[in-house]
Amino acid sequence: MTTEPHSFPRRHARTQRFTLGAPRSFTVAPDGSRVVFLRSGSGTDRANSLWVLDTEEGGERVAADPRALLGGASEDLSPEERARRERSREGGAGIVGYATDTAVELASFALSGRLFAAELRAGTARELPAPGPVIDPRPSPDGRHVAYVAQGALRVVGAEGEGDRALAEPESENVSYGLAEFIAAEEMGRSRGFWWAPESDRLLMARVDDTPVRRWWIADPAHPEREPQRVPYPAAGTGNAEVRLFVIGLDGLRTEVAWDRARYPYLAHVHWSAAGAPLLLVQARDQRSQLILAVDPDTGATRMVHADEDRTWLDLFPGVPCWSPSGQLVRIADEGGARVLAVGERPLTGAQLHVRAVLDVSAHDVLVSASAGAEAAGEAETGQVHVYRVNELGVERVSQEPGVHAAVRAGDVTVLVSATLNRPGSRVQVLRDGKPTRTVPSYAEDPGMPPRVTLTEGGARRIPCAVLMPRDYDGDTPLPVLMDPYGGPHGQRVVAAHNAHLTSQWFADQGFAVVVADGRGTPGRSPAWEKAIHHDFTLSLDDQVDALEDLAKRHPLDLSRVAIRGWSYGGWLAGLAVLRRPDVFHAGIAGAPVTDWSLYDTHYTERYLGTPAEHPQSYAKSSLVTAEGLSSPAEPRRPLMIVHGLADDNVVVAHALRLSSALLAAGRPHEVLPLSGVTHITPQEQVAENLLLLQVDFLKRSLGITTA
């Protein structure tokens, strides 16, 4: 299937959802003199360069151009680097990540498996001799060394390229040093496996042994001549990788860090700064208890700084735990029915804010990302996320315009990234002492398709919703409905940001009223809201139905023609909708759905459902393969399209195949669209474009919509 070259689906795919050319990954020098960031050359250029902005003069310069450094050669990524990018959903090319020394004068990065360093003041880059393929290079705080991982070994080299050596080498093919294991990168937000000491004389280093993890095979049936990949996958209820932590000197001498790994096997977070001893956050496997431990780097002994327990589960948050410059513990906690920021023993926020992340900690305040708390939230705040300064004197909002905001700060300079409903993309402002001084230009393309979106609430539980109508729709005629949710943990879709609604708007322009609803389990409302789905994911479906029925009282929705589409958790939700509630939903598109939760990973699935052995009914109730009534003759039977990438190593294609087999055995209508060579994301331009077009065709056929 083809379309005109400048259609929205093609532009959406070619620009990677209109993100190419937008500046990202900011680092601010401690003296505030420069801001380092990544940006590609245009809205269709995938190759990111490393840039430096002079905050005083306002000029920009390229510190590292991947095309020049590679001499025009194409990139060659190792399987390990491809896996890292899959975990972070990275679809870009060129320089996709970098690290700097404390002064932000030296940056290091990997490019095509080779090691490079850039002098940020001079704006020059050079290759350092290193065995490859290089992964995750990071300069020492003093800028004299660069540590990196190659072939499972943690290595270090001088910043001028001298003295390359291995600090720790794997004892077997199942062991690696300095890398995050699968579930840490996929589910815990920990993408790293080593951390420099602030004095630059040693490191904390993770040792991962995935021998206990079951092996799965990921094959490409379109290429039977290729061997399948043998990958360790820690499915719910099965063995995890064994993770140990060491302090290792530049001479290779190591000391193991001791804690009760049998009781707390998950190493969720590591922090090492000049403000205090290294901090670890370790979790029990059931994630109902966790410890914050301080490490003696000389002996490896640990002492407990703080302990948490929760009857349902304990969430992890970006940026914490950490020390303040004065040595107080900074953490985010669920206390008194609210998600609060605590410094020392004192909560500094209350029910007015739902704190999401700690962005920076200074001697005077803590910079956080937060949305309105359950008590303060209302329809006017739907979908907004703001940046706040918090200290013992109170709370001050840094971001002002309604929207979704994030920030990076050092000293008196803050980089504020702001997305709003009435402006495409994101605006990046450099603030000094809270006042805008510079704007970092974006080269991202303008979609030229402003969403006609209403942010509102639906149902008795005031479910956050976005309602999108066709841009040329001016009448009162009820429209067929397309529910377009994610609907699950960590996946807020109802946001006050322009680009977040582009695909939904395109579907609306095909003749649908599109509804996006963030029910219980999605982030941003309250701890109780997020934890309501404990042992029962199907509450997500109840909330979709409640929101739909309530919105139909206020919007021209034709409830006799309702479809639902989604990807990943949203794909599971779409499948559940047509199987469990055919009285409400008349067609569904399940993209990369988790159809059997016992096939999904440990840290995510067990947090919500427990283990399959201890809670089999939770798994059965939330499964599509053993769905209630799947094999019954009850009518009506609704059409379902199942879409899945054959190379997906996160939600493996076995999910789709098992569902198709169960539907076939039950005589239920469905069609399967296999995507050869596609992982959990669909970066291939033509695949992504045609996938949207095929979905519209399926929806119109299934709902009996004729195209004029």
Side-chain angles (χ1 to χ4, degrees), residues 102-123:
T102 299
V104 192
E105 295 188 352
L106 179 74
S108 64
F109 54 91
L111 187 59
S112 198
R114 294 151 57 184
L115 175 60
F116 292 88
E119 298 287 350
L120 298 174
R121 286 186 183 273

Side-chain angles (χ1 to χ4, degrees), residues 15 18-23 39-45 48 441-445:
T15 63
F18 299 95
T19 61
L20 298 180
R39 186 178 58 198
S40 65
S42 74
T44 56
D45 181 9
N48 290 290
S442 173
Y443 303 151
E445 286 193 6

Side-chain angles (χ1 to χ4, degrees), residues 330-659:
V330 181
R331 60 191 178 90
I332 297 173
D334 294 348
E335 296 180 1
R339 183 153 294 160
V340 302
L341 171 73
V343 178
E345 296 301 317
R346 181 181 173 187
L348 296 187
T349 61
Q352 79 276 20
L353 286 186
H354 184 77
V355 180
R356 295 166 173 255
V358 166
L359 307 174
D360 182 57
V361 182
S362 74
H364 309 291
D365 59 36
V366 181
L367 198 70
V368 303
S369 167
S371 46
E375 294 185 9
E379 192 168 88
E381 289 81 30
T382 297
Q384 295 192 46
V385 181
H386 285 280
V387 175
Y388 297 85
R389 293 177 58 240
V390 181
N391 57 28
E392 294 185 351
L393 299 178
V395 175
E396 177 188 0
R397 202 167 91 178
V398 175
S399 51
Q400 297 302 319
E401 58 185 342
V404 177
H405 306 267
V408 176
R409 184 180 71 172
D412 61 356
V413 171
T414 300
V415 177
L416 181 66
V417 184
S418 303
T420 66
L421 276 176
N422 59 8
R423 185 177 60 233
S426 295
R427 181 174 66 184
V428 179
Q429 293 178 290
V430 179
L431 314 180
R432 189 178 291 275
D433 293 324
K435 298 180 176 57
T437 60
R438 307 287 177 196
T439 299
V440 181
S442 173
Y443 303 151
E445 286 193 6
D446 184 340
M449 193 177 72
R452 182 175 173 176
V453 59
T454 301
L455 299 184
T456 184
E457 295 177 341
R461 282 182 286 272
R462 297 172 41 235
I463 298 162
C465 296
V467 180
L468 297 100
M469 307 301 283
R471 286 174 295 154
D472 60 357
Y473 179 73
D474 295 319
D476 297 322
T477 303
L479 293 175
V481 183
L482 175 61
M483 302 292 286
D484 192 16
Y486 179 79
H490 311 295
Q492 184 178 0
R493 285 284 318 280
V494 180
V495 292
H498 180 285
N499 283 27
H501 301 287
L502 292 175
T503 300
S504 295
Q505 183 61 57
W506 181 77
F507 274 100
D509 288 344
Q510 312 310 305
F512 296 92
V514 178
V515 174
V516 183
D518 282 346
R520 286 169 291 177
T522 59
R525 175 67 66 86
S526 71
W529 178 266
E530 296 178 11
K531 295 177 182 180
I533 60 170
H534 193 219
H535 290 312
D536 188 2
F537 280 155
T538 66
L539 295 181
S540 301
L541 177 58
D542 296 340
D543 287 353
Q544 295 294 314
V545 175
D546 290 349
L548 172 67
E549 292 177 345
D550 185 54
L551 291 172
K553 300 172 184 176
R554 291 172 277 142
H555 299 273
L557 309 182
D558 180 357
L559 296 188
S560 70
R561 295 184 293 174
V562 178
I564 182 170
R565 68 179 287 270
W567 195 267
S568 198
Y569 190 99
W572 165 81
L573 187 53
L576 188 76
V578 297
L579 294 174
R580 301 281 178 89
R581 295 302 304 270
D583 56 318
V584 176
F585 298 96
H586 307 95
I589 299 173
V594 183
T595 66
D596 180 350
W597 287 99
S598 67
L599 293 179
Y600 201 59
D601 71 53
T602 52
H603 193 270
Y604 181 98
T605 316
E606 293 172 10
R607 180 191 310 139
Y608 307 117
L609 299 181
T611 64
E614 294 175 344
H615 299 279
Q617 291 307 310
S618 296
Y619 281 78
K621 186 174 184 180
S622 298
S623 172
L624 301 186
V625 178
T626 59
E628 299 167 3
L630 181 61
S631 59
S632 108
E635 298 293 344
R637 300 186 175 189
R638 303 303 193 187
L640 176 65
M641 173 186 275
I642 305 167
V643 185
H644 217 119
L646 299 180
D648 196 334
D649 68 349
N650 179 25
V651 183
V652 295
V653 75
H655 287 273
L657 297 177
R658 292 187 182 188
L659 176 58

